[in-house]
């Protein structure tokens, strides 16, 4: 790919992301304000620590940590956020390693970063079971809430995210699931996932969770794109605010 083509592709992704966020913000986020508690579901599976063919690039976990460090200080002073991870853990069956680190709490940026910085990615991708656990942590049948899932791939533990999205939409009092695909890995075994046809080639099947609960699905490739997507989905509009973005070191 020539330099011009690479630049054009990057600009196209940035414009697409901006357009998606601008479209979604008024209806899905601004009206809700910051009163709703949120759970961040973070992908800790082995693929987050894999090197790409371009050895000059950092692993996904390194980039994701930086995006969280950039975005969370803009979010957690205003919204209570909890953390759930999947992948690493002590269970021999890595699909069972779903860890509710803590429920929604105020000013959670430092706590989230401490947990993610210490995490060593491994194991498989239990998307559906993790989102279900996060919804339970929000008491979704009785309380309004938001789940934001950050993932780099498809369900690999036999779960059915599309079916779960339908169930959550019918059972919840007021639950929105947003999905952020981060450098999504192409699933060469998508034929083994019967729900893949519902979201199309190149997308994680987790897109169903957003589609069926009225949430936002954003595909991101860079640290800045991921940070912006986190601000859009976990954050809230503060009309008239001129507070600059802050970074946690």
């Amino acid at each position: 790919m020539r330099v011009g083509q690479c630049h054009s592709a990057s600009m196209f992704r940035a414009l697409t992301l901006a357009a998606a966020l601008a479209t979604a913000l008024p209806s899905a986020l601004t009206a809700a304000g910051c009163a709703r508690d949120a759970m961040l579901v973070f992908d800790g599976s082995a693929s987050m620590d894999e090197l790409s063919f371009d050895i000059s690039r950092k692993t996904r976990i390194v980039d994701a940590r930086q995006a969280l460090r950039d975005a969370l200080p803009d979010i957690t002073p205003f919204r209570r956020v909890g953390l759930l991870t999947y992948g690493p853990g002590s269970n021999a069956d890595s699909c069972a390693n779903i860890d509710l680190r803590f429920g929604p709490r105020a000013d959670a940026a430092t706590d989230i970063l401490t947990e993610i910085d210490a995490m060593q990615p491994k194991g498989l991708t239990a998307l559906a079971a993790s989102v279900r656990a996060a919804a339970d942590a929000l008491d979704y049948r009785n309380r309004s809430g938001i789940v934001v899932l950050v993932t780099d791939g498809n369900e690999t533990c036999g779960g059915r995210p599309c079916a779960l999205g339908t169930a959550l939409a019918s059972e919840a009092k007021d639950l929105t699931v947003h999905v952020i695909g981060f450098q999504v890995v192409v699933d060469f075994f998508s034929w083994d996932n019967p729900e893949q046809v519902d979201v199309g080639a190149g997308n994680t099947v987790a897109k169903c969770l957003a589609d069926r609960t009225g949430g936002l699905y954003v595909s991101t490739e860079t640290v800045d794109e991921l940070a912006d997507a986190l601000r859009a989905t976990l954050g809230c509009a503060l009309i008239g605010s001129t507070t600059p973005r802050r970074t946690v070191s």
Side-chain angles (χ1 to χ4, degrees):
M1 179 180 290
R2 294 193 297 272
V3 173
Q5 290 175 319
C6 181
H7 177 72
S8 297
S10 178
M11 286 293 293
F12 178 77
R13 285 197 304 271
L15 291 172
T16 301
L17 175 62
L21 299 183
T23 300
L25 276 170
S27 60
L29 301 169
T30 306
C34 275
R36 305 165 77 191
D37 284 351
M39 286 296 301
L40 173 63
V41 178
F42 188 87
D43 188 340
S45 64
S47 57
M48 289 290 286
D49 205 26
E50 289 177 352
L51 293 171
S52 68
F53 292 111
D54 181 357
I55 59 174
S56 67
R57 294 189 64 173
K58 298 175 182 177
T59 60
R60 294 179 188 83
I61 187 63
V62 172
D63 283 346
R65 285 171 178 149
Q66 184 59 55
L68 289 168
R69 191 167 283 107
D70 292 345
L72 288 177
D74 299 334
I75 297 164
T76 57
F78 311 106
R79 191 189 299 282
R80 285 162 41 95
V81 182
L83 175 66
L84 182 145
T85 63
Y86 61 83
S90 58
N91 289 300
D93 175 11
S94 66
C95 289
N97 287 323
I98 296 171
D99 189 353
L100 175 60
R101 304 296 178 106
F102 51 84
R105 61 177 59 164
D107 297 316
T110 298
D111 294 339
I112 293 172
L113 290 170
T114 298
E115 294 284 353
I116 300 302
D117 283 346
M119 186 174 66
Q120 298 298 318
K122 65 177 181 179
L124 298 175
T125 305
L127 292 179
S130 297
V131 170
R132 168 70 82 175
D136 287 337
L138 291 168
D139 190 17
Y140 74 100
R141 291 183 177 87
N142 301 304
R143 301 182 60 199
S144 177
I146 298 168
V147 173
V148 175
L149 167 65
V150 176
T151 181
D152 74 347
N154 272 336
E155 171 74 48
T156 58
C157 287
R160 295 290 178 262
C162 296
L164 175 62
T166 299
L168 291 177
S170 65
E171 297 168 4
K173 178 178 181 178
D174 180 20
L175 180 72
T176 306
V177 181
H178 301 296
V179 178
I180 303 173
F182 182 53
Q183 300 179 15
V184 170
V185 180
V186 175
D187 184 4
F188 295 104
F189 301 97
S190 61
W191 53 267
D192 197 35
N193 189 325
E195 293 183 330
Q196 185 64 37
V197 67
D198 293 339
V199 297
N203 290 319
T204 167
V205 74
K207 182 176 183 293
C208 270
L209 289 161
D211 292 344
R212 299 188 183 189
T213 63
L216 174 66
Y217 175 77
V218 186
S219 179
T220 63
E221 291 291 330
T222 68
V223 170
D224 287 344
E225 288 176 357
L226 178 55
D228 285 343
L230 288 165
R231 292 187 186 98
T233 53
L234 279 174
C236 60
L238 299 176
I239 299 173
S241 172
T242 57
T243 304
R245 293 177 178 177
R246 294 170 292 163
T247 299
V248 174
S249 61

